[in-house]
Amino acid sequence: MPVGLGPLPVLHPVPGFRLGIASAGIKRAGRKDIVVMELAEGASIAGVFTLNAFCAAPVTLCREHIHHAPRYLLVNTGNANAGTGKPGMQAAIQTCEALAQLTQVQTEQVLPFSTGVIGELLPAAKVIAALPAALANLDADHWAQAAEGIMTTDTLPKGASRQITLAGQTVTITGISKGAGMIRPNMATMLGYIATDAKVAQPVLQALLREAADLSFNRITIDGDTSTNDCCMLVATGQASMDEITVANGADYQQLAAAVKSIMLELAQAIVRDGEGATKFVTIQVNGGGNRDECLDVGYAVAHSPLIKTALFASDPNWGRILAAVGRAGVPELDVERIDVYLDDLCIARSGGRAEDYTEEQGARIMAQAEITIRIDLARGDYQETLWTTDLSHEYVRINAEYRT
């Protein structure tokens, strides 16, 4: 069961952005597995992509096509089209060509996205056959259906929406994401799409997306696996009656940036809450670092430790495992006698050893909670970073053992 993740909130339509959903039967008949997103002419778009060297064919195409005034985004689930070589690239190109022909745009104005099983060739004919139905389904109010259409092992759709006032006008920001396993985004998330009707110059939009992704999607991990298909897109349709934001400062930019960052953090945390087999939502705070990287190194060492993750699943306050992970994080000249570790507000380790007033019963009560914060104070400087992760359960193993069956 997802941890603290409920039904979708109201997802406000974004003027200049429509979504259509259809079934291609890629993995099973009747499954809604194709989503087409239509951008208004003149819209700005920014993207961040996986740094996995075995990136999927659609990621390569997206990186090329994003510079050609994109008009359509084409998403399929059930097949990642990764590790498929030249035939996979040709299949991705064929789907772009087919959608371009149906919508009378250039092939380079279509951005493809795929998610699902790695190593299997995308059935391009099935995708192409479903495109007319997806186009006929285009509607500005289909965010919720699209959130379901991009799911793979997710148990619930993920979305967030805000409306703010810029220059006296109501401006909407709405986004959806998917992901539950193979999650350690590296510049992006599994798949994420955020749109606003604000007018934003593309370089400003790109800088905003990178900053927002670094504070949200790049701070979550479920299993430490960076996918071959990670993509996150931010679209500004420019339909709002306002002056274009051309620099990354000023009141309008700051307000828009705050809303975008808030939405992306909500979407990122929803992925963790719906992590495969997750029973715990865990916040890891590393304070007092000498620099950003050592805070992240410590945080990820804790977040990726199978011993810690299984202890979390068992509600076992085995704090020695946390100390061991901190010690092997690779922080140079780490003075362990200055380190304090907390579960929520309970100090479990002080000055590198067990806190004198800590009891096992106190730790067990906190570890039994569905939401837990592990806080580590390195006492080395003023830097701090926060990550979000899950426990590791029997169900995670089952899901991934049976993923292709």
Side-chain angles (χ1 to χ4, degrees):
M1 287 291 293
V3 183
L5 183 63
L8 283 173
V10 173
L11 300 179
H12 301 288
V14 176
F17 196 90
R18 298 196 299 165
L19 309 95
I21 303 89
S23 175
I26 293 174
K27 197 169 182 180
R28 64 177 183 269
R31 165 77 162 84
K32 298 289 187 181
D33 52 10
I34 297 293
V35 178
V36 171
M37 305 180 194
E38 180 188 70
L39 288 60
E41 190 170 1
S44 300
I45 187 168
V48 287
F49 305 93
T50 182
L51 296 184
N52 192 312
F54 261 108
C55 68
V59 174
T60 299
L61 276 184
C62 273
R63 287 175 172 150
E64 297 174 359
H65 289 188
I66 197 171
H67 304 293
H68 295 272
R71 293 292 313 283
Y72 290 90
L73 312 182
L74 171 57
V75 188
N76 76 265
T77 66
N79 183 299
N81 198 17
T84 50
K86 291 181 180 179
M89 179 60 70
Q90 187 57 41
I93 292 172
Q94 288 173 357
T95 63
C96 291
E97 290 174 340
L99 182 55
Q101 185 175 6
L102 288 169
T103 56
Q104 298 184 332
V105 301
Q106 299 299 311
T107 300
E108 293 78 11
Q109 291 181 288
V110 178
L111 305 186
F113 305 85
S114 298
T115 182
V117 177
I118 295 172
E120 296 181 4
L121 181 64
L122 179 71
K126 288 185 175 182
V127 174
I128 292 169
L131 293 179
L135 291 172
N137 187 248
L138 284 171
D139 194 286
D141 204 26
H142 279 178
W143 282 95
Q145 294 91 324
E148 294 183 359
I150 64 174
M151 291 167 55
T152 48
T153 58
D154 310 59
T155 65
L156 288 175
K158 302 161 182 68
S161 192
R162 308 276 191 280
Q163 288 189 314
I164 60 176
T165 301
L166 295 181
Q169 303 294 317
T170 298
V171 169
T172 301
I173 309 102
T174 297
I176 56 176
S177 66
K178 63 78 52 182
M182 194 179 277
I183 301 284
R184 184 193 174 179
N186 202 340
M187 293 308 296
T189 182
M190 292 290 91
L191 290 179
Y193 305 95
I194 303 94
T196 177
D197 55 332
K199 290 181 180 177
V200 187
Q202 198 281 332
V204 176
L205 198 70
Q206 184 67 51
L208 172 57
L209 176 59
R210 288 193 180 278
E211 182 181 3
D214 196 46
L215 296 172
S216 56
F217 295 126
N218 279 345
R219 294 294 183 270
I220 64 172
T221 182
I222 290 172
D223 44 29
D225 270 311
T226 295
S227 170
T228 54
N229 291 61
D230 293 353
C231 296
C232 182
M233 313 303 294
L234 177 60
V235 175
T237 67
Q239 300 300 295
S241 298
M242 58 179 288
D243 292 334
E244 185 178 51
I245 298 175
T246 57
V247 292
N249 58 44
D252 284 351
Y253 173 80
Q254 295 298 337
Q255 191 176 356
L256 178 65
V260 169
K261 292 174 185 177
S262 173
I263 281 180
M264 289 178 63
L265 182 57
E266 185 175 338
L267 293 174
Q269 290 184 352
I271 289 174
V272 177
R273 292 182 182 279
D274 195 26
E276 290 174 345
T279 70
K280 304 286 175 69
F281 176 80
V282 185
T283 301
I284 300 175
Q285 296 177 350
V286 182
N287 302 330
N291 57 57
R292 167 185 174 272
D293 287 345
E294 67 183 34
C295 289
L296 291 175
D297 287 345
V298 169
Y300 279 120
V302 172
H304 291 153
S305 167
L307 292 176
I308 294 173
K309 294 172 84 69
T310 49
L312 286 162
F313 174 62
S315 299
D316 177 13
N318 193 340
W319 56 271
R321 293 181 176 182
I322 300 176
L323 296 190
V326 173
R328 65 173 170 77
V331 177
E333 299 178 2
L334 185 66
D335 186 350
V336 298
E337 293 186 357
R338 302 183 66 188
I339 294 174
D340 296 339
V341 180
Y342 294 80
L343 290 178
D344 286 353
D345 293 326
L346 173 67
C347 185
I348 59 174
R350 182 177 289 116
S351 302
R354 180 177 180 142
E356 292 181 0
D357 53 351
Y358 167 72
T359 67
E360 190 86 350
E361 292 75 15
Q362 292 172 317
R365 281 196 296 270
I366 294 174
M367 290 289 276
Q369 298 170 177
E371 302 197 21
I372 302 166
T373 296
I374 299 173
R375 179 160 54 92
I376 302 155
D377 192 340
L378 300 177
R380 292 168 58 87
D382 297 326
Y383 286 84
Q384 59 182 30
E385 289 290 342
T386 302
L387 310 176
W388 294 273
T389 191
T390 65
D391 57 340
L392 181 59
S393 70
H394 304 298
E395 184 66 7
Y396 176 89
V397 176
R398 185 197 65 78
I399 290 170
N400 284 282
E402 299 176 358
Y403 184 63
R404 297 201 305 161
T405 60

